[in-house]
Amino acid sequence: MEPLVALVGTTCLALIIGACGVHRLRRLPTALRGGLAVMFLLTGGAHFIGMRDELVAMVPPALPAPGLLVTVTGIAEIVAALALLRRRTAAPAAGLLTFLLIAMFPANVYAAGTAETWWDELIPRTLAQLVFLAATTTVLVDRGRAELSRRRQGLGPPPDAPRSPATPGRSNAAEPGRPPGT
């Protein structure tokens, strides 16, 4: 339940800030990137602090090395959460998180078998996973469309992309009648 609250609360807060004049946060996909980042920082951190034993216990017995799986997925969640905050890395991060949500779903099914609260039962867990997947997919599609649009317009990499150094002996300035870099 806490991850859902983190996602929805942070996304709504970002949209409110956007409506108050921070133009970058006006778009839902951008606000979702912030919400997902907070959510996955929390869930990734739980792989190491506070809930590690519970998460290791969620790994189905058929899978090897539950502790290692929890460690690897925790690191992946934290790295991807941070990568969501940059436009340039948001699409691969959203793709990785989408994959992780699907790959880790069997652990949610297994954990639902020992649910102690209503929100840990299979239907609420599944509905929450669908919300998380909708959010990661929205970011992935939005960033993919933005990149496709840039390419169709003949623009270079996004503004936050690193610039390639000038080729030795050549100027980066275009000669008259000649496109840059040719």
Side-chain angles (χ1 to χ4, degrees):
M1 181 67 85
E2 292 86 355
L4 184 60
V5 170
L7 171 63
V8 172
T10 305
T11 301
C12 287
L13 180 61
L15 289 170
I16 290 167
I17 293 170
C20 290
V22 180
H23 298 289
R24 285 186 162 194
L25 297 178
R26 283 189 175 178
R27 296 183 60 245
L28 178 62
T30 305
L32 279 172
R33 285 172 40 206
L36 286 166
V38 168
M39 183 188 96
F40 279 107
L41 283 172
L42 291 173
T43 60
H47 285 69
F48 304 100
I49 302 168
M51 291 187 61
R52 182 171 177 80
D53 292 338
E54 292 91 334
L55 293 172
V56 169
M58 282 177 61
V59 177
L63 296 175
L68 178 62
L69 289 173
V70 168
T71 299
V72 169
T73 56
I75 292 169
E77 287 182 24
I78 292 168
V79 168
L82 295 172
L84 282 170
L85 299 175
R86 291 193 65 213
R87 272 184 284 190
R88 184 170 176 231
T89 56
L96 172 62
L97 291 169
T98 300
F99 170 78
L100 283 174
L101 287 167
I102 293 167
M104 293 188 300
F105 187 70
N108 283 289
V109 172
Y110 181 72
T114 60
E116 295 180 13
T117 58
W118 69 268
W119 60 81
D120 282 332
E121 292 176 5
L122 185 57
I123 291 177
R125 279 180 174 271
T126 302
L127 293 174
Q129 287 288 103
L130 291 173
V131 170
F132 303 153
L133 281 168
T136 59
T137 303
T138 298
V139 171
L140 183 60
V141 168
D142 177 69
R143 292 288 79 216
R145 284 182 179 164
E147 182 60 27
L148 185 60
S149 175
R150 291 186 65 74
R151 288 183 183 175
R152 283 186 178 155
Q153 294 173 7
L155 300 175
D160 61 353
R163 296 176 188 233
S164 60
T167 306
R170 289 187 70 184
S171 168
N172 277 344
E175 295 175 26
R178 190 172 181 173
T182 58

